[in-house]
Amino acid sequence: MSETTATEKRSWRETWQKIAMGSALTSVLAVVAALIVGAILIAAADDQVQKTAGYFFARPTDFLWAVCSKVGSAYAALFQGAVINFGAASISEAFAPLMDTLSMSVPLIFAGLGLGMGFRAGLFNIGGQGQIIFGAIICGYIGFAVPMPPVLHMIVCVLGAFIGGALWGFIPGALKAWTGANEVIVTIMLNYIASYFLAFLLTLDAFQVPDSNVPVSPLIQSTARFPSFFGTRVDLGFVLAIAAAVGVWYLMERTTLGFSIRAVGLNPDAARTAGMSVPGSTIWVMVIAGGLAGLAATSQLLSSASATLTAGIASTFGVDAITVALLGRSKPLGTVLAGLLFGGLRAGGYLMQVLTDTPIDVILVLQSVIVLLIAAPPLVRAIFRLPDPERRKKKREKKALKAREAVA
Amino acid sequence: MKLELREVTKKFGDFTANDKISITVEEGQIHALLGENGAGKSTLMNVLYGLYQPDGGEILLDGKPVAFAGPGDAMAAGIGMVHQHFMLIPVFTVAENVVMGHEPTGPFGIIDVPKAREIVREISERFGFEVDPDAYVETLPVGVQQRVEIIKALSRQAKVLILDEPTAVLTPQETDELMQIMRQLKSQGTSIVFITHKLREVQEVADTITVIRRGKVVGEAAPTATQEELASMMVGRAVEMEVEKSPAKEGDVALSVGGLSLVERSGRALLEDISFDVRAGEILAVAGVQGNGQTELAETLMGLRRATAGSIRLDGQELADKNVHEIIDFGVGYIPEDRSKDGAIEEFSIAENLVLNQTRGEFSKHGSLRMGLIQKHSKELVEAYDIRTGSSNAELDTLSGGNQQKVVVARELSRNLKLLLAAQPTRGVDVGSIEFIHQQIVAERDKGTPVVIISTELDEVKALADRIAVMYRGRFVGIVPADTSREDLGLMMAGIMPGEKEAANE
């Protein structure tokens, strides 16, 4: 009797510890902390708040009311723009913001998955931007210049995006594997090369609208477009992104290649001694990660009727995806959730600016604060007064050891 | 100076690392603190050195209670510590290292190097050390580096010197010299706390022995106690110092290594013309002082390094030009000398570690892992090898060192082997696990597998070997029968064949 209660108590405690100490909670708390910082900024930038602060000691309620109403309305607008619009006339209109969020999260999920794989393999791949651009170059060229029947065209474009990104991932992977070149520096430099290479291509006649001098490609042909669902902004791209997340999970957790990749990431010496090829793993990871990042380009090129290949095609997805991967703890599910959050921030940010006159830069601050807190888990623990997981872990180990010894 | 610890208690959470430990170190005495790895010796010394704050009890120096907030306080009170891993800066000279932190300075804060040199010279002369104050530490042998650490402690007027596992890194000759130095220090009134788990050294040099087990003092012993008595106090039961094993039933030659050489690009030879045969059902132990090419030999046999010349034939198959995974898949089991670096992945689960080098074979199908089979495999091995864990899905680093090593041993012995190569198979492992691992290795031999053991522990070599090869500077000095005397083996470890010495003397 007493034994079962003790076991129950222990398992309950361990579960709690897992939640509390596990990095997932750090991620959630980082987001919460970022929202608080964002609220302070939103309030501080508001005229009404500034005015009421002037006579704070005379009528503090005015000030507090101004802060609450400002922050409340800004975040309400953010929510309304990202998830659901209660004032809409129809259900499909009410959920249109959520559809926007899903669609905006697609490139972040693709690129985040790729970068996260690299992180788990011990490779700090900063080259998401360049890999997206290269995916876009090949995908885009096939999309506007090579006529093909409908479904086939789309499939070839998607493959092209993967291959383009994979190629741009292979270069730093091979340089690292064969010469030991630092992947951080190589990928950063390759971002610039990809970016200027695209700018150069767009000056060529082959990449421009005939008889035009504007550095913008012709429209992507409609045969290559993703089918959308029920006329919303969500299309096959989102399904592919989720499928890619499942695929990455399976690859990392259930295949021998993923086993080697994780082993090499955690302990290259032991992996080598176990007969795994460290250079091989490095190259594979960079190729697959690059390909996934390349797929991010499809959402820019194949999701809209007016899509063209332009110099700004990759936006800041490559950089944002680093944050997404970090916030998602480099795991597929986490990356999807983080991608949705960031997609939501992007989607809701516009409405927040329009409705409440809140600068959209606040969104950028939110993202930056999240990165800062993720990168410094002790800071998050200090803010929320959480115990140190390392110490807890040691303690748990010692307790387990003691229990075992007592049994033996 | 007399050092007294009274009922010192140190807890980590609800784990009690030191439970009311009381020890008295008289002036000019060598007090050995004997215990297995993890018994709480180092924790106790860290409390004494001010690195940890005790949760109970008190520390007295010459009868006066003291409290240390940090190592600085401890040093000021006359306590010096020589850590197992030296705290020296390799690119500094001996003199610079010795005065570091307490530099004698001239005008404008410039370091007074002649003064520093003088300090080193003065202490060296007083205690009969031979240390050149201007030598760079990185150029010195390990034994001399240790002396630099001791000088460093003495230069701060240490009256009580704590030596934490000082012989772990030393050759037998250097160990003898250290014992000499310890006696010298003692005769000049320095008290020494000598932490170790090596029984012979304790008997040789200690005045008093305190045995610690699981954070408690289990008893005091006189240096006259036998090794068996001390060992049984350490582990709580009598331990067989020898492994029970029947004479080898040797078969045909299975492993045949010929003219194996490994030369670095710089031209330095790490292995020179090594040749030996191992028969099926026989254990060949490679003895020698650490750093004489044993690591390189193991790595070359495993394909982790490419031999410059020579052949490695196992069951008629040439392995010298094969890759690591081909050699593993051919049936060579390998227990690497550094478990946490090469042998296992601490963040992986026990189950994953148990198939770490076998996912190319039966544990995968069309590139996917067979999770059910991996689970079943790990449950069986956890049971068979008595790996003490709550779950085979727990991370490896939740296990004690001995159990981690059992995971590696279980993984390698659980498949059909054509050769077992085990380097330092029981390093950092508790006595109970040592015994178990030794039995498993002998059992593998009795199945008819040729076994090569590489070990720097002479006790282990003597316990396991059917024949002993001794390595010195990348060469085999000779291969001798298992009953060769320790003295002769010691000579061979210094590169001298016993017969040759007599011949030279004539």
Side-chain angles (χ1 to χ4, degrees), chain A residues 149-227:
Chain A
V151 177
L152 179 70
H153 200 178
M154 181 193 81
I155 294 172
V156 174
C157 279
V158 170
L159 288 177
F162 187 89
I163 290 166
L167 178 76
W168 219 237
F170 172 79
I171 297 171
L175 285 174
K176 166 112 186 163
W178 296 331
T179 71
N182 183 313
E183 77 278 9
V184 178
I185 293 164
V186 174
T187 50
I188 291 176
M189 291 304 138
L190 284 173
N191 286 345
Y192 286 110
I193 295 174
S195 171
Y196 288 115
F197 184 63
L198 173 60
F200 162 73
L201 285 180
L202 289 172
T203 64
L204 302 180
D205 287 343
F207 276 80
Q208 284 179 355
V209 181
D211 304 326
S212 137
N213 247 339
V214 189
V216 170
S217 80
L219 284 179
I220 305 294
Q221 293 170 19
S222 61
T223 44
R225 280 194 57 199
F226 283 141

Side-chain angles (χ1 to χ4, degrees), chain A residues 116-134:
Chain A
M117 246 183 94
F119 297 159
R120 290 187 77 187
L123 295 168
F124 211 68
N125 169 14
I126 309 293
Q129 197 74 9
Q131 290 147 16
I132 297 172
I133 290 172
F134 246 75

Side-chain angles (χ1 to χ4, degrees), chain B residues 5-155:
Chain B
L5 300 179
R6 272 194 206 148
E7 306 215 319
V8 169
T9 300
K10 177 66 195 170
K11 290 181 179 170
F12 295 100
D14 359 336
F15 175 77
T16 309
N18 291 151
D19 192 358
K20 293 185 182 165
I21 292 188
S22 301
I23 290 172
T24 307
V25 185
E26 300 287 346
E27 179 161 332
Q29 209 188 45
I30 299 177
H31 194 118
L33 215 53
L34 187 66
E36 285 191 85
N37 291 328
K41 297 168 296 191
S42 294
T43 306
L44 185 67
M45 287 307 114
N46 285 332
V47 168
L48 177 56
Y49 199 52
L51 287 164
Y52 292 153
Q53 297 308 313
D55 296 312
E58 51 182 355
I59 300 167
L60 295 95
L61 285 175
D62 285 336
K64 276 177 246 136
V66 288
F68 303 139
D73 289 358
M75 271 188 248
I79 295 176
M81 186 155 175
V82 175
H83 295 269
Q84 191 174 350
H85 304 285
F86 303 149
M87 310 286 173
L88 297 173
I89 298 182
V91 296
F92 280 12
T93 65
V94 170
E96 285 166 342
N97 268 290
V98 166
V99 298
M100 201 167 50
H102 296 70
E103 303 88 354
T105 48
F108 309 113
I110 293 165
I111 296 175
D112 188 350
V113 179
K115 182 84 196 300
R117 231 178 256 142
E118 197 42 51
I119 292 173
V120 175
R121 208 166 280 139
E122 193 262 322
I123 295 171
S124 313
E125 270 165 28
R126 181 143 53 97
F127 294 98
F129 299 167
E130 282 166 32
V131 180
D132 172 10
D134 292 319
Y136 286 94
V137 163
E138 61 187 348
T139 63
L140 299 174
V142 178
V144 180
Q145 291 188 19
Q146 191 171 51
R147 257 170 262 170
V148 175
E149 281 278 16
I150 294 173
I151 292 172
K152 202 166 95 181
L154 294 174
S155 75

Side-chain angles (χ1 to χ4, degrees), chain A residues 12-352:
Chain A
W12 180 86
R13 264 213 349 237
E14 270 173 19
T15 314
W16 186 84
Q17 277 173 349
K18 228 182 231 166
I19 298 167
M21 261 46 82
S23 38
L25 187 71
T26 314
S27 292
V28 172
L29 292 179
V31 173
V32 171
L35 286 173
I36 295 169
V37 172
I40 295 169
L41 281 179
I42 290 169
D46 184 58
D47 289 342
Q48 189 63 25
V49 173
Q50 285 168 4
K51 217 167 74 191
T52 52
Y55 56 91
F56 175 78
F57 292 102
R59 289 173 62 186
T61 44
D62 274 15
F63 169 76
L64 293 175
W65 178 248
V67 168
C68 289
S69 71
K70 174 64 191 180
V71 171
S73 63
Y75 279 155
L78 185 64
F79 183 80
Q80 190 188 334
V83 185
I84 188 165
N85 179 5
F86 291 108
S90 67
I91 292 197
S92 69
E93 236 175 88
F95 280 104
L98 182 63
M99 299 300 133
D100 281 357
T101 294
L102 296 188
S103 128
M104 290 211 173
S105 66
V106 170
L108 295 171
I109 293 174
F110 272 129
L113 286 170
L115 297 182
M117 246 183 94
F119 297 159
R120 290 187 77 187
L123 295 168
F124 211 68
N125 169 14
I126 309 293
Q129 197 74 9
Q131 290 147 16
I132 297 172
I133 290 172
F134 246 75
I137 290 173
I138 296 187
C139 175
Y141 187 79
I142 299 169
F144 66 73
V146 188
M148 263 184 255
V151 177
L152 179 70
H153 200 178
M154 181 193 81
I155 294 172
V156 174
C157 279
V158 170
L159 288 177
F162 187 89
I163 290 166
L167 178 76
W168 219 237
F170 172 79
I171 297 171
L175 285 174
K176 166 112 186 163
W178 296 331
T179 71
N182 183 313
E183 77 278 9
V184 178
I185 293 164
V186 174
T187 50
I188 291 176
M189 291 304 138
L190 284 173
N191 286 345
Y192 286 110
I193 295 174
S195 171
Y196 288 115
F197 184 63
L198 173 60
F200 162 73
L201 285 180
L202 289 172
T203 64
L204 302 180
D205 287 343
F207 276 80
Q208 284 179 355
V209 181
D211 304 326
S212 137
N213 247 339
V214 189
V216 170
S217 80
L219 284 179
I220 305 294
Q221 293 170 19
S222 61
T223 44
R225 280 194 57 199
F226 283 141
S228 83
F229 296 120
F230 317 112
T232 63
R233 286 198 57 192
V234 175
D235 55 27
L236 190 66
F238 184 73
V239 177
L240 284 181
I242 300 300
V246 176
V248 168
W249 174 83
Y250 188 86
L251 173 74
M252 294 301 277
E253 305 296 332
R254 289 288 181 270
T255 68
T256 50
L257 177 63
F259 191 77
S260 304
I261 290 171
R262 285 187 289 133
V264 169
L266 290 168
N267 184 345
D269 290 317
R272 204 166 92 85
T273 307
M276 297 165 183
S277 163
V278 177
S281 159
T282 303
I283 292 176
W284 269 113
V285 169
M286 287 305 295
V287 165
I288 298 171
L292 286 165
L295 287 177
T298 61
S299 75
Q300 298 299 96
L301 292 168
L302 310 182
S303 281
S304 138
S306 58
T308 55
L309 184 62
T310 64
I313 191 74
S315 181
T316 56
F317 291 125
V319 183
D320 293 351
I322 297 173
T323 317
V324 168
L326 289 178
L327 183 62
R329 299 287 151 185
S330 306
K331 301 266 174 69
L333 178 63
T335 303
V336 170
L337 295 176
L340 287 172
L341 175 75
F342 275 53
L345 289 177
R346 274 184 176 235
Y350 299 120
L351 197 68
M352 184 174 80

